Amino acid sequence: MNANVPPTAALVAKLTARDDLSAEEIAVLQGMMSEPRIVQGGHDIVRDGDRPGHSTLLIDGFACRYTTLKDGGRQITALHVAGDFVDLHSFMLKEMDHGVGALTLCRIATVDHGRLLEITHTHPHLTRMFWLLTLIDGSMHREWLVGMGRRPALGNAAHFICEIYTRLSVVGMAADNAFVLPLTQVELGDVLGLSSVHVNRVLQELRSGELITWTGQNVVILDWDALADLAEFDPRYLHVVKEPR
Amino acid sequence: MNANVPPTAALVAKLTARDDLSAEEIAVLQGMMSEPRIVQGGHDIVRDGDRPGHSTLLIDGFACRYTTLKDGGRQITALHVAGDFVDLHSFMLKEMDHGVGALTLCRIATVDHGRLLEITHTHPHLTRMFWLLTLIDGSMHREWLVGMGRRPALGNAAHFICEIYTRLSVVGMAADNAFVLPLTQVELGDVLGLSSVHVNRVLQELRSGELITWTGQNVVILDWDALADLAEFDPRYLHVVKEPR
DNA sequence: CGCTCAGTTGATCAGTATCAAAGGGCGTGG
DNA sequence: CCACGCCCTTTGATACTGATCAACTGAGCG
């Protein structure tokens, strides 16, 4: 939000939580991004079938990857927060096989794929760090698969809350077990593979168990241990460990 | 199977289905792999929590990534066939957040992470192709998420069959709508997030609709169009398109 | 002031899980 | 070569999770 926070601040935080970056690498990151741009909530950032010539960094706001089925059902396959590259994978995949939508007003900036291509020639470590970002996306996908396939709705909702809290913490957007999450219950249903009615009931159960409060967009985790236990949340899959990569 | 087929044959097929490789790159691939080794079906190739110093290429056989929950439930998050790197992601993630198991007798070979690190410095294009492989894994994860979240069991089972057929075709292990798939119904349940009893009923429905036959390990797709339609299968997510990357 | 949209509640329905048991194929050891 | 055992598949009965349908509330906003 702050004008003198560089657009890459959250990205740098996300990366340096996993490995040190050199001053030059940080400069390359800052130099490669376009001017920030605003996307209104509810609008698409990238469309299914697009062949974007650039990848998009989310500076601020919430976005998601989603796919829509013929019957109108929607599945959100990833939720993105500040510092996430929402479609870094399009650099190598070329054609988008899903859409990316802004859930709230989003501030974004882009990198040209040509610039990324150069970086793969000139900056191997930075290239690996970009690769790492997409691998962490994959880890989250797998964890969501486990949740949808084998966790009951209550546990999976709890797991989602644990994940988002952890991820927001990394970029300084959550602390003291509290954070802002501007998701409707319909959207949460599209994340968890549930109907919005059932999401409502699951949230009530989490509230009545005094595990969380969730009023408007304000989520507070009242009992982290109990929530993580219910979720069988093991944060290793987020790989928030600084080591040489 | 054949002794004068190089261990990297399927991998090269998989990669060249997406972009041309130079002769030198193919030589690098062949030169980097260890001597092949055998793993018995039912045994682990990598364990959850491991920090392997190498990544494993599946030369032959079927393997899976899986995670097990406290109640004993298991979710398979990826199914691997010949030519797949089952844990290329461990090169950057370092610690395994799930296990990799051999579903059948598997022939594997490994690449040291040190060798991969060198390649990221000396062979940018090959590096990008490795990155691409992990991105396609991610695409499949997302598609599975859509299936488990929003497709009914029947459609998702159909989708799985379409996916596997397409993937096996790329490495020459499926043709004429027929292929060998050595998966038990329990394992298929762990893939689809279903109980084995329900898998049985779903398969019977696919059979009675004359969409497939599945006897022992032999699967035949009788009506591809109807199966793909039921599945809403759109192969774009597998990115089997040759173009400069 | 009335619309719209998000959240909530109740009633009923459908899809899938669970439990239990039986049948079939195949390898192994006697 | 047969018998046993084991694993996988199949079937039936029942239970339960989560979906669907419908209606109502409350808050924000034009």
Side-chain angles (χ1 to χ4, degrees), chain B:
Chain B
M1 297 289 181
N2 192 321
N4 38 22
V5 173
T8 48
L11 172 62
V12 170
K14 197 180 162 185
L15 286 171
T16 53
R18 274 79 180 201
D19 190 8
D20 287 317
L21 294 182
S22 70
E24 196 233 338
E25 286 171 333
I26 292 175
V28 169
L29 287 176
Q30 289 178 347
M32 74 185 189
M33 303 309 305
S34 72
E35 274 304 295
R37 193 164 68 78
I38 297 288
V39 179
Q40 298 295 326
H43 286 227
D44 273 341
I45 296 174
V46 194
R47 276 204 203 79
D48 194 352
D50 279 1
R51 297 179 60 90
H54 50 75
S55 286
T56 302
L57 174 67
L58 184 56
I59 301 169
D60 217 78
F62 287 79
C64 68
R65 307 186 194 170
Y66 67 93
T67 99
T68 307
L69 296 178
K70 276 192 281 191
D71 70 354
R74 177 171 88 150
Q75 179 65 44
I76 291 176
T77 57
L79 186 74
H80 288 298
V81 306
D84 287 355
F85 266 109
V86 300
D87 64 345
L88 184 51
H89 49 301
S90 75
F91 167 50
M92 285 307 300
L93 293 178
K94 304 305 176 191
E95 177 177 334
M96 292 296 292
D97 52 38
H98 61 272
V100 179
L103 293 168
T104 64
L105 188 141
C106 288
R107 202 149 51 100
I108 62 175
T110 59
V111 214
D112 283 340
H113 287 168
R115 186 80 192 82
L116 287 174
L117 185 64
E118 279 174 42
I119 289 173
T120 67
H121 285 265
T122 56
H123 291 79
H125 179 252
L126 202 49
T127 302
R128 294 197 301 275
M129 293 306 283
F130 289 150
W131 187 357
L132 174 65
L133 291 178
T134 65
L135 289 173
I136 293 171
D137 286 345
S139 273
M140 292 188 284
H141 291 334
R142 285 191 293 276
E143 200 61 35
W144 287 25
L145 278 171
V146 174
M148 298 215 305
R150 293 305 188 203
R151 272 190 265 263
L154 187 69
N156 201 26
H159 194 278
F160 173 76
I161 293 169
C162 291
E163 173 182 309
I164 287 296
Y165 177 73
T166 306
R167 290 171 59 194
L168 288 175
S169 296
V170 169
V171 292
M173 292 178 61
D176 303 324
N177 289 329
F179 56 98
V180 172
L181 190 60
L183 276 190
T184 68
Q185 294 182 0
V186 170
E187 287 159 350
L188 191 50
D190 289 342
V191 166
L192 300 173
L194 301 171
S195 69
S196 63
V197 172
H198 201 63
V199 166
N200 185 281
R201 290 177 173 137
V202 161
L203 290 182
Q204 285 179 57
E205 200 169 337
L206 290 175
R207 284 191 275 241
S208 72
E210 302 197 328
L211 298 177
I212 64 163
T213 63
W214 185 325
T215 48
Q217 309 187 335
N218 298 98
V219 182
V220 179
I221 298 171
L222 299 176
D223 187 341
W224 172 269
D225 290 344
L227 192 70
D229 194 56
L230 176 64
E232 290 189 41
F233 179 72
D234 177 349
R236 287 183 306 132
Y237 77 98
L238 294 171
H239 298 275
V240 189
V241 177
K242 190 180 261 201
E243 56 180 303
R245 304 198 192 242

Side-chain angles (χ1 to χ4, degrees), chain A residues 102-176:
Chain A
L103 293 168
T104 63
L105 188 141
C106 288
R107 203 151 50 102
I108 62 175
T110 59
V111 214
D112 284 340
H113 287 168
R115 188 76 192 86
L116 287 174
L117 185 63
E118 280 174 40
I119 289 173
T120 68
H121 285 265
T122 57
H123 292 80
H125 179 252
L126 201 49
T127 302
R128 293 197 302 275
M129 294 306 284
F130 289 151
W131 187 356
L132 174 65
L133 291 178
T134 65
L135 289 172
I136 293 171
D137 285 344
S139 274
M140 292 188 283
H141 291 335
R142 284 191 294 276
E143 200 62 34
W144 286 25
L145 279 169
V146 174
M148 297 215 304
R150 294 304 187 203
R151 272 191 265 264
L154 186 69
N156 200 26
H159 195 278
F160 173 76
I161 293 168
C162 291
E163 174 182 309
I164 288 296
Y165 177 73
T166 306
R167 290 171 59 195
L168 288 175
S169 296
V170 169
V171 291
M173 293 178 61
D176 302 324

Side-chain angles (χ1 to χ4, degrees), chain A residues 84-103:
Chain A
D84 288 355
F85 266 111
V86 300
D87 63 345
L88 184 52
H89 49 300
S90 75
F91 168 51
M92 286 306 301
L93 294 177
K94 304 305 179 191
E95 179 178 333
M96 292 296 291
D97 52 37
H98 62 271
V100 179
L103 293 168

